[in-house]
């Protein structure tokens, strides 16, 4: 349904009363016009009436006969006479044609485009029949008077156009009860309109017209901050105020007495309104894209549930988690299903599991943590054994295939205040449950489960020793430009080498986070990057940028920016050749310091990127608060983007967000040529993944891909 049409099915009594009201309104307006219009300007108030008639039929086509009769009486007893008044009735064909021709048309992709199409269709359908037929008939008379009358009729129709542009949105908003108006804007608008008459009243007539220069900046600001009904009514006040001054020569303006003199002013007002309306629509489009992207960041893109970020956001909104428990479900052979089934089938399985959890666990908040890994948080009383046992073996049906999904469950009957800690406890419990021979359920019912503290401490010390004693290795993965003219990039990936074996970040970073070692680890990675960067800098192509991940803990370090500046100067490295990626292993605890640090890094000339954008714990908070200039899309949207319409829509929305903020966009986990081509078509500027280039211990940045 478009913005200017709404289906109505009133009863007969309501229809009759509406007919009478419309007819009465038009006749009263005619009488009022006869009393207040200047002698030589009888036609002035006729075109707003035509615009009112067109707007009424655009929203209430069943009122055609009363609108047509009222408009014809306007012509007969008003300024046009029966001949031109009858020709003017052709303008009413526009709304009827609009309803018939746009009934089955899909709405436009953007709000400004839809508004333009709606207005253009109604105006063209309304004015084209009247202008063409009326002008042809008048021209055919061959008399000089007929030609003059034809020209005047065309000028009058242009006034109809201006009136329709202004009155149609306002009347539509009132008929659809979309008139939530911020009266503060209207008060300021009224004050601006009154400035000119007040200046004349106090004897400053020379400066009266300068007040007009205050109006346009205010209306532009209104378009960017207020809703459409508020903007429309502000424009109506401007419209009526300045036309009243033009009618009667008030506010320092010379009186205009002919339709030809009035037409340029009406068209100028209409053009201003149309421009501001499009600006407001673009702002709404941007806000909706951000809201949609924010919603996507809180919810899984394939299953009807929150993601981990949404779960943590929900937990933060609760005053306390006392009385809440949690249940973690995961299939015993999850990896087999991931390798053998398509994403559509996995999505169907997840939907079935989420539905079953919602039925078995009352009042649950359900989140999907990863593929086939579902978490339910609910009041502890709902986590009874009877409900849990039924989840161990779930009957699945995928097409013609039926099978039983064997799972394991971990539960906590009392959550702590830290949801991240709760998730760690649940993972430990699930690892125990999956080892059980029969009933794979492990529930912590009373005292919180004690982790194997001694084992974790020894493991942490082993990893820390590797960092501090030469076991830290920095690998480099290329980030390729998808369009010519863009510089190539690369990302530093940290590994630990222990006993001649490489240890991935997924093993040591959680421990570093738990033992508050992330800042020291990030400093070690940065220091080693600077050292190797100096040695290999000559081999890097101009403007090549190497990105380094840092954690939220490091981002909150007040000494970070001075240290980076000193290192850049010491190694004589151009700041534009270095980028910082914000990871979300740990939430930023000191946002004021983090904001200051990111601003300081940008002033140094460093590039700053948000990693795993769209699904991280705080991606959109970072985007709105921090001065970043690069977004890296999370890999779950990219790996199958070529064959997944939902992921394509998500990436398109991310491209729109990036363009709104003038940011560079990088797609991660690009593992095939189809995904690479799709990203390039959608407007993503950079790609990273095994298809682009695997991580390597050799420091080398390749050239950009030519378009």
């Amino acid at each position: 349904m478009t913005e200017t049409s709404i289906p109505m099915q009133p009863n007969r009594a309501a229809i009759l009363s509406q007919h009478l009201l419309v007819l009465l309104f038009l006749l009263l307006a005619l009488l009022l016009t006869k009393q207040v219009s200047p002698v030589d300007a009888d036609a002035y108030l006729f075109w707003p009436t035509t615009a009112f008639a067109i707007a009424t039929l655009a929203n209430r086509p069943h009122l055609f006969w009363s609108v047509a009769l009222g408009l014809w009486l306007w012509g007969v007893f008003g300024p046009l006479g029966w001949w031109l008044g009858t020709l003017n009735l052709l303008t009413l064909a526009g709304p009827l044609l609009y309803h018939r021709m746009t009934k089955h048309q899909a709405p436009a992709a953007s709000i400004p485009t839809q508004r333009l199409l709606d207005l253009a269709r109604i105006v063209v359908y309304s004015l084209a029949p009247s202008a063409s037929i009326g002008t042809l008939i008048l021209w055919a008379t061959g008399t000089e008077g007929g030609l003059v009358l034809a020209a005047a009729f065309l000028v009058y129709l242009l006034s109809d156009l201006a009136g329709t542009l202004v009155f149609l949105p306002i009347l539509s908003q009132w008929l659809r009860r979309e008139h939530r108006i911020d009266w503060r804007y209207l008060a300021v608008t009224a004050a601006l309109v009154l400035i000119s008459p007040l200046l004349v009243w106090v004897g400053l007539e020379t400066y009266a017209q300068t007040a007009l220069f205050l109006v346009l900046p205010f209306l532009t600001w209104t378009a960017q901050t207020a809703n459409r009904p508020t903007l429309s009514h502000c424009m109506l006040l401007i419209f009526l105020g300045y036309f009243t001054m033009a009618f009667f020569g008030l506010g320092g303006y010379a009186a205009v007495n002919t339709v030809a003199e009035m037409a340029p002013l009406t068209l100028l007002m209409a053009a201003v309104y149309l421009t501001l309306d499009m600006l407001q629509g673009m702002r709404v489009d941007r806000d909706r894209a951000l809201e949609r992207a924010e919603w996507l960041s809180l919810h899984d893109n394939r299953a009807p549930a929150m993601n981990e970020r949404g779960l943590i956001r929900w937990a933060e909104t609760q005053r306390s988690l006392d009385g809440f428990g949690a249940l973690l479900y995961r299939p015993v052979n999850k990896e087999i299903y991931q390798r053998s089934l398509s994403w559509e089938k996995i999505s169907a399985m997840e939907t079935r599991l989420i539905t079953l959890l919602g039925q078995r666990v009352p009042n649950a908040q359900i989140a999907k943590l990863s593929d086939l890994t579902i978490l339910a948080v609910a009041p502890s009383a709902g986590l009874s054994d009877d409900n849990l046992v039924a989840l161990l073996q779930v009957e699945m049906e995928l097409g013609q295939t039926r099978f039983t999904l064997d799972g394991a469950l971990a539960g906590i009957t009392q959550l702590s205040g830290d949801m991240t800690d709760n998730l760690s406890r649940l993972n430990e419990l699930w690892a125990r449950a999956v080892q059980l021979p029969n009933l794979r359920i492990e529930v912590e019912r009373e005292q919180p489960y004690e982790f194997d503290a001694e084992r974790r401490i020894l493991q942490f010390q082993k990893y820390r020793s590797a960092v501090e004693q030469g076991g830290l290795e920095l690998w480099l993965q290329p980030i390729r430009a998808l369009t010519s003219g863009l510089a190539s990039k690369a990302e530093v990936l940290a590994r630990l080498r222990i006993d001649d074996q490489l240890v991935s970040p997924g093993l040591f970073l959680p421990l570093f986070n738990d033992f508050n070692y992330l800042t020291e680890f990030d400093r070690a990675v940065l220091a080693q990057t600077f050292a190797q960067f100096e040695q290999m800098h000559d081999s890097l192509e101009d403007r090549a940028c190497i990105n380094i991940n840092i954690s939220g803990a490091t981002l909150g370090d007040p000494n970070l920016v001075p240290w980076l500046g000193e290192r850049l100067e010491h190694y004589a490295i151009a700041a534009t050749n270095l980028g910082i990626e914000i990871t979300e292993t740990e939430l930023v605890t000191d946002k004021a310091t983090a904001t200051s640090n990111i601003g300081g890094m940008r002033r140094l000339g460093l590039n700053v990127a948000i990693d795993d954008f769209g699904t991280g714990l705080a991606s959109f908070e970072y985007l709105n608060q921090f001065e970043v200039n690069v977004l890296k899309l999370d890999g779950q949207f990219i790996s199958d983007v070529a064959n997944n319409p939902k992921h394509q829509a998500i990436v398109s929305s991310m491209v729109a967000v990036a363009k709104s903020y003038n940011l560079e966009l990088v797609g991660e986990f690009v593992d095939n040529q189809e995904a690479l081509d799709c990203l390039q078509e959608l407007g993503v500027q950079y790609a990273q993944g095994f298809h682009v280039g695997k991580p390597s211990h050799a420091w080398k940045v390749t050239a950009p891909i030519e378009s």
Side-chain angles (χ1 to χ4, degrees):
M1 187 183 302
T2 61
E3 287 192 307
T4 54
S5 63
I6 48 176
M8 298 294 294
Q9 294 181 342
N11 55 44
R12 291 185 178 180
I15 291 176
L16 180 60
S17 63
Q18 291 174 11
H19 278 296
L20 292 175
L21 283 173
V22 169
L23 190 58
L24 180 62
F25 175 82
L26 291 172
L27 293 178
L28 288 176
L30 174 62
L31 294 175
L32 180 64
T33 301
K34 289 290 187 181
Q35 297 297 322
V36 303
S37 289
V39 175
D40 296 330
D42 286 336
Y44 284 168
L45 295 183
F46 190 67
W47 57 262
T49 307
T50 303
F52 167 80
I54 293 173
T56 301
L57 289 187
N59 292 275
R60 299 291 192 273
H62 60 276
L63 296 178
F64 174 78
W65 295 111
S66 57
V67 171
L69 178 60
L71 195 64
W72 184 75
L73 291 174
W74 258 89
V76 171
F77 297 105
L80 296 185
W82 74 271
W83 173 236
L84 293 182
T86 303
L87 280 178
N88 191 60
L89 288 180
L90 291 172
T91 58
L92 300 185
L96 303 181
L97 287 172
Y98 171 79
H99 278 284
R100 180 173 295 275
M101 299 181 70
T102 63
K103 184 183 300 183
H104 303 295
Q105 290 181 352
S110 69
I111 291 176
T113 303
Q114 186 61 53
R115 291 179 182 178
L116 279 175
L117 286 175
D118 284 341
L119 287 172
R121 287 166 180 160
I122 290 180
V123 167
V124 170
Y125 296 158
S126 298
L127 301 186
S130 185
S132 58
I133 297 176
T135 304
L136 183 63
I137 293 175
L138 294 170
W139 193 280
T141 62
T143 64
E144 182 178 352
L147 297 178
V148 172
L149 194 58
F153 187 57
L154 289 176
V155 172
Y156 159 71
L157 289 180
L158 288 177
S159 298
D160 271 354
L161 164 64
T164 302
L165 291 178
V166 174
F167 283 93
L168 178 60
I170 293 175
L171 186 60
S172 300
Q173 290 154 11
W174 279 93
L175 290 174
R176 298 202 309 266
R177 302 182 186 275
E178 295 178 355
H179 43 76
R180 298 176 301 278
I181 302 169
D182 190 332
W183 296 99
R184 296 172 297 179
Y185 289 89
L186 291 183
V188 175
T189 304
L192 291 174
V193 171
L194 293 174
I195 287 178
S196 293
L198 287 174
L199 289 175
V200 174
W201 184 63
V202 299
L204 299 175
E205 183 174 353
T206 305
Y207 305 100
Q209 295 186 23
T210 59
L212 187 62
F213 293 98
L214 300 175
V215 173
L216 189 57
F218 171 74
L219 290 176
T220 303
W221 178 70
T222 301
Q224 291 299 305
T225 57
N227 58 21
R228 194 188 190 196
T230 300
L231 175 64
S232 299
H233 286 75
C234 287
M235 275 302 305
L236 181 62
L237 278 180
I238 297 291
F239 205 77
L240 296 177
Y242 280 94
F243 268 88
T244 300
M245 288 187 277
F247 282 170
F248 301 104
L250 303 175
Y253 294 91
V256 292
N257 296 308
T258 66
V259 175
E261 291 176 346
M262 184 62 67
L265 181 58
T266 61
L267 291 175
L268 177 62
M269 288 286 190
V272 170
Y273 174 76
L274 192 61
T275 302
L276 294 173
D277 196 37
M278 295 305 102
L279 284 176
Q280 198 272 340
M282 292 169 63
R283 194 258 298 176
V284 173
D285 262 352
R286 182 197 64 193
D287 291 346
R288 288 185 179 179
L290 288 174
E291 290 172 4
R292 175 63 177 167
E294 175 70 10
W295 187 91
L296 290 171
S297 75
L298 296 172
H299 295 80
D300 186 77
N301 58 295
R302 295 193 315 211
M306 297 182 292
N307 55 22
E308 185 174 342
R309 179 183 185 247
L311 175 68
I312 293 179
R313 173 69 65 82
W314 172 85
E316 290 173 347
T317 62
Q318 305 301 307
R319 292 185 177 181
S320 172
L321 294 179
D322 290 342
F324 281 95
L327 175 68
L328 177 67
Y329 174 89
R330 186 182 294 135
V332 175
N333 298 313
K334 170 185 170 180
E335 292 76 14
I336 295 177
Y337 297 110
Q338 287 179 303
R339 290 195 301 266
S340 59
L341 296 179
S342 65
W343 67 267
E344 292 95 341
K345 292 183 178 179
I346 290 178
S347 179
M349 293 172 64
E350 291 167 345
T351 301
R352 166 77 171 135
L353 290 171
I354 290 169
T355 302
L356 189 58
L357 270 172
Q359 295 171 349
R360 291 288 179 173
V361 183
N363 303 315
Q365 298 292 328
I366 300 177
K368 173 190 164 185
L369 304 183
S370 61
D371 284 349
L372 297 172
T373 301
I374 313 298
L375 179 78
V377 178
S380 301
L383 304 178
S384 65
D385 288 345
D386 292 340
N387 288 340
L388 302 184
V389 171
L391 297 171
L392 293 180
Q393 291 187 323
V394 180
E395 295 296 326
M396 289 286 176
E397 182 175 348
L398 300 176
Q400 302 298 321
T401 305
R402 294 187 178 184
F403 61 96
T404 300
L405 183 64
D406 292 323
L409 293 163
I412 299 176
T413 57
Q414 178 55 60
L415 296 178
S416 69
D418 186 345
M419 185 56 72
T420 304
D421 175 65
N422 293 324
L423 294 177
S424 298
R425 290 160 60 193
L426 284 166
N427 281 320
E428 291 278 348
L429 290 167
W430 188 89
R432 286 190 167 193
V434 79
Q435 302 298 325
L436 298 176
N438 297 315
L439 201 62
R440 297 190 180 96
I441 298 178
E442 187 74 21
V443 179
E444 176 189 291
R445 297 191 179 278
E446 297 179 358
Q447 297 300 323
Y449 170 66
E450 296 295 336
F451 293 117
D452 188 349
E454 182 177 351
R455 176 183 60 81
R456 290 168 59 82
I457 291 172
L458 291 174
Q459 195 69 39
F460 165 69
Q461 291 176 342
K462 187 176 182 180
Y463 291 154
R464 184 179 65 179
S465 297
V467 173
E468 298 174 354
Q469 297 177 15
L472 176 62
E473 290 188 5
L474 302 183
W475 293 49
L476 199 63
Q477 185 173 27
I479 302 173
R480 306 287 295 279
L482 299 182
T483 56
S484 59
L486 294 177
S488 54
K489 302 175 184 287
E491 180 181 356
V492 171
L493 303 175
R495 304 286 188 264
L496 296 182
R497 186 170 293 278
I498 300 175
D499 299 331
D500 203 30
Q501 298 290 326
L502 279 180
V503 181
S504 67
L507 295 177
F508 58 77
L509 283 181
L511 278 175
F512 287 170
N513 179 61
D514 292 343
F515 286 90
N516 297 321
Y517 188 68
L518 282 176
T519 300
E520 290 82 355
F521 173 73
D522 288 345
R523 283 289 182 96
V525 173
L526 286 166
Q528 190 162 325
T529 300
F530 279 121
Q532 296 194 25
F533 198 105
E534 181 185 41
Q535 298 168 14
M536 304 302 296
H537 185 255
D538 292 340
S539 67
L540 297 176
E541 119 182 51
D542 291 341
R543 295 190 300 143
C545 179
I546 291 180
N547 294 345
I548 309 168
N549 286 281
I550 65 172
S551 65
T554 301
L555 192 60
D557 182 0
N559 299 315
L560 176 63
V561 174
W563 184 85
L564 287 172
E566 188 273 330
R567 293 290 90 189
L568 288 170
E569 183 178 357
H570 175 76
Y571 288 104
I573 297 174
T576 53
N577 286 332
L578 195 66
I580 300 297
E581 295 187 11
I582 304 171
T583 61
E584 297 166 353
T585 304
E586 176 182 293
L587 291 175
V588 177
T589 56
D590 187 350
K591 289 191 175 181
T593 302
T595 303
S596 175
N597 278 342
I598 289 184
M601 287 188 286
R602 294 292 294 133
R603 286 190 291 273
L604 285 176
L606 296 171
N607 296 285
V608 181
I610 295 180
D611 198 8
D612 300 332
F613 181 75
T615 59
L617 298 178
S619 291
F620 282 88
E621 284 85 348
Y622 289 169
L623 179 58
N624 289 320
Q625 185 171 358
F626 301 144
E627 300 175 22
V628 300
N629 64 319
V630 181
L631 302 181
K632 298 189 71 177
L633 293 181
D634 186 79
Q636 71 165 305
F637 302 132
I638 307 300
S639 57
D640 62 349
V641 67
N643 303 312
N644 189 332
K646 292 183 178 179
H647 285 186
Q648 292 174 14
I650 292 171
V651 173
S652 294
S653 69
M654 298 299 186
V655 170
V657 170
K659 288 182 179 178
S660 297
Y661 284 84
N662 194 26
L663 306 175
E664 293 181 350
L665 204 59
V666 181
E668 299 184 290
F669 284 75
V670 179
D671 295 333
N672 53 69
Q673 185 63 38
E674 291 77 12
L676 189 67
D677 294 339
C678 184
L679 291 181
Q680 191 168 16
E681 182 179 346
L682 292 173
V684 178
Q685 295 139 305
Y686 290 91
Q688 180 180 2
F690 278 14
H691 182 71
V692 174
K694 296 182 179 180
S696 171
H697 195 34
W699 284 59
K700 183 179 181 181
V701 180
T702 55
I705 297 173
E706 296 296 333
S707 62

